[in-house]
Amino acid sequence: MRKNPAIEITGKVMKLKLPLPEAHLLSTGTTGKLNTSFEEGFILVGFSDWPQLELALFVLISVFYSLTLFGNTMIIVLSHLDLRLHTPMYFFLSHLSFLDLCYTTSTVPQLLINLHGPDRSITYGGCVAQLFISLALGSTECVLLVVMAFDRYAAVCRPLHYMTIMHPHLCQTLAVISWAGGFMNSLVQTGLMMAMPLCGLHHLNHFFCEMPVLLKLACEDTQGTEVKMFVARVIILVVPAALILGSYVHIAQAVLKVNSTAGRTKAFETCGSHLLVVSLFYGSGIYTYLQPTHSYSQSKGKFVALFYTIIIPMLNPLIYTLRNKDVKGALRRVLWKGRDLG
């Protein structure tokens, strides 16, 4: 009898070995679904559909990740070392930088390992942890950007009362609310996801465990769960975006009343960087999480995910500091101080 190379017989156990494209077809339901236990983990398909891109992606992502670590760490260090940066704006900016460090680290090292080597597996527990942590950090950033918009509103629209409004106790409370709100949202959505039975082979057509991709493996009708998740996503995405938009309407009205051209320019420079970050972050987040699961393109989703897990955290330090005289001055003072001590 001719031996089938796709079947491996070991003792009394017969294992079915399929090439990646066939396994992917099964996992996505094209040729049927297999009820199975996912306790042994998943295979992250990543960018194996484009093997010619993997080396270039590995190099680019390594560079971007290094820049992300350097830039965000620099902001955190400067915000703590320089007394002139001990203000509410840089207090929240240091939280944003810490968030970006954690967010990229929750996904990028796994991606680099998958791009560099043949092992693309992730344990079930590791997948759940990655889903929970990345979703929690992304949700926290959604709330924190609202807090930063409120800080800019107080600075521009209530300049005489700014330090009274944004006192240290309120800043700390708002930071705690941001973190707590993000983790609560992740706990709700991750709990709903993990309560659903999964079918198919153990292949995720993504480079990390993300909610829309896991929903593709659900055995049962996901409409009820998706409605609950949609409500949670509206609360964490649409409501903050609307609040930020409202704050910038008031900021624009206040800036237009300023007679001084220099004053208008300074106000726009102060708020422009934050508005750019908001546009990039919410645009990519809304594309991924506010479309129905059946219309979600996993191929496009992978590249959009690269944008908000790697590109935006790398750009944040540049956007906030490229034209920021305070940060540039703080960097010069720290460098000169280190030179004098040396």
Side-chain angles (χ1 to χ4, degrees):
M1 182 174 65
R2 187 168 63 90
K3 184 178 180 181
N4 188 342
I7 300 177
E8 176 186 348
I9 301 178
T10 306
K12 296 182 179 179
V13 179
M14 183 175 69
K15 296 181 180 180
L16 181 65
K17 302 198 303 181
L18 292 174
L20 187 57
E22 293 179 37
H24 174 56
L25 288 176
L26 280 173
S27 67
T28 54
T30 305
T31 61
K33 292 183 178 178
L34 299 176
N35 289 330
T36 184
S37 169
F38 284 79
E39 294 179 359
E40 56 191 81
F42 300 91
I43 301 296
L44 294 170
V45 174
F47 296 93
S48 59
D49 293 339
W50 301 279
Q52 68 277 9
L53 295 179
E54 289 192 312
L55 179 59
L57 284 172
F58 179 81
V59 174
L60 287 175
I61 291 170
S62 298
V63 172
F64 290 163
Y65 185 49
S66 300
L67 291 175
T68 300
L69 295 178
F70 174 77
N72 286 287
T73 301
M74 182 190 70
I75 288 179
I76 295 171
V77 171
L78 290 178
S79 298
H80 283 79
L81 291 181
D82 196 287
L83 294 177
R84 300 184 188 184
L85 299 185
H86 288 186
T87 63
M89 175 180 174
Y90 294 102
F91 172 77
F92 295 126
L93 184 55
S94 63
H95 273 268
L96 179 64
S97 294
F98 181 68
L99 262 176
D100 286 338
L101 285 175
C102 296
Y103 189 43
T104 54
T105 303
S106 70
T107 58
V108 174
Q110 176 79 47
L111 172 58
L112 291 175
I113 292 172
N114 292 351
L115 288 172
H116 187 262
D119 185 11
R120 301 173 185 270
S121 62
I122 183 171
T123 65
Y124 179 82
C127 188
V128 174
Q130 189 179 63
L131 172 66
F132 175 78
I133 293 172
S134 61
L135 187 58
L137 295 173
S139 301
T140 300
E141 187 159 341
C142 289
V143 183
L144 185 62
L145 289 174
V146 177
V147 172
M148 295 176 72
F150 174 72
D151 173 67
R152 294 300 85 209
Y153 166 80
V156 175
C157 299
R158 300 288 186 271
L160 299 178
H161 305 284
Y162 175 67
M163 295 309 299
T164 303
I165 296 172
M166 301 302 295
H167 54 84
H169 179 69
L170 177 62
C171 292
Q172 293 171 2
T173 302
L174 291 174
V176 170
I177 290 174
S178 299
W179 286 92
F183 275 81
M184 285 180 62
N185 175 70
S186 180
L187 185 63
V188 170
Q189 293 203 53
T190 304
L192 289 171
M193 181 68 246
M194 292 302 103
M196 300 181 65
L198 304 179
C199 295
L201 295 182
H202 299 223
H203 293 80
L204 296 177
N205 191 16
H206 211 294
F207 62 86
F208 75 103
C209 295
E210 193 172 33
M211 186 69 72
V213 182
L214 285 168
L215 280 172
K216 292 279 190 180
L217 297 179
C219 296
E220 59 185 26
D221 182 15
T222 62
Q223 184 176 359
T225 301
E226 284 193 68
V227 169
K228 296 175 184 177
M229 289 182 175
F230 183 80
V231 172
R233 292 168 185 173
V234 167
I235 293 173
I236 208 68
L237 275 171
V238 179
V239 173
L243 291 173
I244 292 172
L245 182 61
S247 70
Y248 274 97
V249 169
H250 286 89
I251 289 172
Q253 291 173 346
V255 170
L256 292 176
K257 293 179 182 178
V258 176
N259 295 324
S260 169
T261 303
R264 290 185 183 181
T265 302
K266 184 178 180 181
F268 279 121
E269 287 181 352
T270 302
C271 302
S273 57
H274 180 252
L275 190 58
L276 180 58
V277 171
V278 167
S279 302
L280 294 172
F281 181 77
Y282 280 99
S284 56
I286 288 173
Y287 171 84
T288 300
Y289 286 97
L290 289 187
Q291 62 175 304
T293 301
H294 62 82
S295 63
Y296 175 76
S297 170
Q298 298 184 65
S299 297
K300 292 180 181 178
K302 285 185 281 190
F303 287 98
V304 174
L306 279 178
F307 191 72
Y308 58 75
T309 58
I310 299 173
I311 304 299
I312 293 177
M314 180 198 68
L315 290 178
N316 279 349
L318 296 176
I319 290 171
Y320 278 106
T321 62
L322 192 60
R323 299 179 63 186
N324 193 309
K325 296 179 181 179
D326 294 335
V327 175
K328 290 180 180 179
L331 181 59
R332 284 194 296 268
R333 287 189 292 271
V334 169
L335 291 177
W336 276 108
K337 185 177 180 180
R339 182 178 177 181
D340 293 339
L341 291 176

